[in-house]
Amino acid sequence: MKTKTKLLSIITATALTLGSASLTAFAVQDGQTVRITVRNDNYTTDAGSPWDGVLIDEYVKIDENSDPLSLLRTALEKHGYTQTGADTGYVSEINGISAGDGAETGGWMATLDNWITDEGLSAYTVSSGKLEGGDEISFEYSLNWGADIGYDYMGTDTSLSDLGISDGVLSPEFGSSNNYTLTLPEGTTSVTVAPKAKNRAFRVKTYKNEYTPAIAGTDYKYSEPIEVTEGDVIYIGVANSSWMSYVPEGVTETVYTVSIDKTADIVDTEVQSVISAIEAIDVNNMSSVTKARNGYNSLTDEQKSQVTNYDKLVAAENSIKTAIEIDKDIEKKAAEIFGNTNIAGNEWQIIIKARLGILSQEEKEAYINSVNSYVHAVGDAKLSSTRSTDNSRFVIALCAVGADPSDLDGYDLTAPLKDIDYVKAQGVNGSVYALIALDAAKDGLTAEKQALIDDILSAALPNGGWTFFGEEADPDMTAMAITAL
């Protein structure tokens, strides 16, 4: 019997059937409006729909004779859109999308302040007091009796998915309680509340200081500004029987409270995030420096002036710049010591000669043997604990001479390049060379390679270029990133 009763309710609501209207007069103030939205987010044009997305989102003036169906007609006619059924109480078509399109269970459904009504829409009239200025009405196309737009006629969950509060800091974090404290920025005198029920079968209403669901007109409209001061309490109720003509068996009302705390200066969370990122910098982890720099660059000039530890970011970048110069000196000295290009450590010369076709077979074999000895001396496929580019360089060179870097006398030099955290520790430079190396080794589009691609793309500067550090794109890093991608 419970299931049949609920099913009857959903059929009644979905059909938008005519209901009786009270003869009680209801005065409408000049300029009062209702927001009308028509949208189709589920039956896409790719699936054959003539349109998708938002068709209408505007405010329509109301009078004593208005109901959702008449307001829908007015909004559609203004734009030359078609509809079928709004005159008789059952909306079966809007602008070329008809019930049954896309799925046998497809059809138009309507919400009043984000609630899928439990009576036919013609029952919600201005004259009956069930429709007022400031209300929001949405017509939405569902492919599955409302399940795909958040409606579960068999559900009993009366919790909220979002409080929808416009400003301030909520404590504790939403979802952990039914009782919250809201601390507002200094000078804030009002907030708007647009709560959303997890199940749109249940109506939600908002009150201030007294929870009076049985007294009509004491609630605040959806998104209506609420004047608040310290000590005020906002009540948000879900599924009270005073607002709904039908509350299913087994459904229990849920009430949330939001207490307004003293106003206070709210810390700019973007600035605080950058300050924290700078504090977390590890000069041995280039990605931590890159994260801090990118965060700082995204701030406005006013926000940048609030970053109190910017000098630490600059110092870290200068430290890395010095380390790079030292590495270059070491590589130069190593080239002088090794002398010829057949020795591990001269990968760029090997790659150039191999690709020019001027590297003899004897030179190739000498290089492979040299790398083999070097790797055995290290004793690990990960050739450096901090620089993944060492592995990348060897992998690219070995591929150039025809060797298999994934099986060099039992060592897989490509394996460390699939440890994304290890690679990203060297910043975008690490990701770029790892991607080039794995491509050279003819790795398919693995999850690891996709992660490297995502990391490189996320490191792009606003102007589209790349940099190893600093705020300006440089041609070297940009060319390497483009090559990798």
Side-chain angles (χ1 to χ4, degrees):
M1 180 61 70
K2 175 181 175 183
T3 300
K4 289 182 179 178
T5 304
K6 286 192 173 184
L7 186 57
L8 177 61
S9 175
I10 175 60
I11 291 173
T12 302
T14 306
L16 312 180
T17 53
L18 287 168
S20 60
S22 168
L23 298 178
T24 304
F26 186 84
V28 178
Q29 300 298 319
D30 288 342
Q32 283 192 317
T33 60
V34 167
R35 182 181 181 183
I36 298 288
T37 305
V38 179
R39 62 187 309 135
N40 164 32
D41 298 318
N42 297 298
Y43 179 32
T44 65
T45 53
D46 290 341
S49 175
W51 59 273
D52 56 23
V54 178
L55 182 69
I56 287 177
D57 185 355
E58 60 188 56
Y59 291 85
V60 179
K61 287 186 177 181
I62 60 173
D63 58 33
E64 285 82 356
N65 299 315
S66 296
D67 67 18
L69 298 171
S70 66
L71 296 174
L72 173 67
R73 289 197 304 270
T74 298
L76 292 173
E77 289 170 1
K78 175 182 175 182
H79 297 280
Y81 298 138
T82 63
Q83 61 81 19
T84 304
D87 299 321
T88 59
Y90 170 52
V91 178
S92 60
E93 174 267 335
I94 296 179
N95 203 41
I97 300 178
S98 300
D101 288 350
E104 291 183 2
T105 51
W108 286 100
M109 301 186 73
T111 67
L112 172 61
D113 292 340
N114 209 43
W115 166 56
I116 294 179
T117 61
D118 54 12
E119 294 182 85
L121 284 185
S122 55
Y124 296 89
T125 61
V126 172
S127 59
S128 70
K130 292 184 178 181
L131 181 68
E132 300 175 329
D135 282 337
E136 298 189 9
I137 297 169
S138 179
F139 290 82
E140 303 177 25
Y141 194 75
S142 166
L143 290 173
N144 188 22
W145 285 344
D148 49 1
I149 60 173
Y151 181 80
D152 178 10
Y153 70 90
M154 292 292 291
T156 59
D157 185 352
T158 57
S159 62
L160 293 174
S161 62
D162 187 8
L163 283 172
I165 296 177
S166 61
D167 208 348
V169 175
L170 201 65
S171 178
E173 184 177 345
F174 176 71
S176 58
S177 171
N178 284 12
N179 303 295
Y180 299 91
T181 297
L182 181 68
T183 302
L184 296 172
E186 187 174 2
T188 302
T189 59
S190 68
V191 295
T192 60
V193 182
K196 295 181 180 179
K198 285 186 178 179
N199 185 355
R200 296 170 84 182
F202 302 121
R203 192 166 196 178
V204 182
K205 286 198 175 188
T206 302
Y207 300 81
K208 187 180 80 170
N209 291 337
E210 291 184 274
Y211 186 57
T212 52
I215 305 176
T218 58
D219 61 299
Y220 283 81
K221 307 303 292 183
Y222 200 68
S223 299
E224 177 184 357
I226 304 173
E227 292 187 3
V228 291
T229 187
E230 182 180 357
D232 284 340
V233 178
I234 296 173
Y235 294 88
I236 303 169
V238 186
N240 187 280
S241 59
S242 300
W243 318 318
M244 301 169 60
S245 64
Y246 169 70
V247 176
E249 180 185 343
V251 171
T252 302
E253 176 188 19
T254 299
V255 178
Y256 295 78
T257 64
V258 179
S259 301
I260 306 300
D261 197 2
K262 61 182 180 180
T263 57
D265 289 324
I266 301 299
V267 175
D268 188 319
T269 55
E270 292 179 338
V271 171
Q272 189 57 50
S273 177
V274 171
I275 291 174
S276 298
I278 293 175
E279 286 301 317
I281 284 177
D282 176 0
V283 292
N284 294 315
N285 186 335
M286 183 59 193
S287 64
S288 68
V289 181
T290 301
K291 177 182 177 181
R293 169 53 69 181
N294 289 344
Y296 180 81
N297 290 348
S298 69
L299 299 178
T300 64
D301 290 342
E302 172 62 27
Q303 289 175 314
K304 287 178 180 178
S305 69
Q306 300 173 40
V307 178
T308 55
N309 56 350
Y310 178 66
D311 57 337
K312 183 174 180 179
L313 171 59
V314 175
E317 291 175 333
N318 288 336
S319 175
I320 291 170
K321 192 181 299 184
T322 301
I324 291 172
E325 294 303 322
I326 293 173
D327 281 348
K328 286 181 178 178
D329 288 341
I330 292 173
E331 288 178 5
K332 188 182 296 183
K333 290 177 181 177
E336 293 172 357
I337 294 170
F338 288 132
N340 61 59
T341 61
N342 305 340
I343 306 299
N346 291 285
E347 280 67 44
W348 303 129
Q349 295 94 322
I350 288 287
I351 293 168
I352 292 169
K353 291 182 69 174
R355 291 184 175 177
L356 287 174
I358 59 175
L359 192 67
S360 68
Q361 185 61 34
E362 291 76 14
E363 289 175 311
K364 292 180 181 179
E365 291 176 358
Y367 174 72
I368 294 170
N369 290 334
S370 175
V371 173
N372 197 4
S373 298
Y374 180 83
V375 174
H376 275 278
V378 173
D380 195 327
K382 182 184 287 187
L383 303 180
S384 168
S385 62
T386 58
R387 294 194 306 271
S388 64
T389 49
D390 283 8
N391 273 73
S392 298
R393 191 175 70 247
F394 278 106
V395 168
I396 296 169
L398 288 169
C399 290
V401 300
D404 181 3
S406 67
D407 186 12
L408 189 72
D409 198 19
Y411 289 96
D412 181 0
L413 300 189
T414 67
L417 301 179
K418 298 173 184 178
D419 181 348
I420 304 303
D421 290 335
Y422 167 63
V423 170
K424 288 171 63 176
Q426 204 171 344
V428 68
N429 193 51
S431 295
V432 162
Y433 275 105
L435 184 57
I436 293 173
L438 292 176
D439 274 339
K442 302 192 184 309
D443 250 28
L445 184 57
T446 60
E448 292 82 5
K449 283 181 66 177
Q450 185 60 58
L452 294 173
I453 292 170
D454 293 343
D455 185 56
I456 296 169
L457 291 175
S458 68
L461 297 172
N463 65 3
W466 282 262
T467 184
F468 192 64
F469 53 80
E471 301 184 45
E472 300 296 329
D474 69 76
D476 182 32
M477 194 69 247
T478 298
M480 289 189 293
I482 292 173
T483 298
L485 293 172

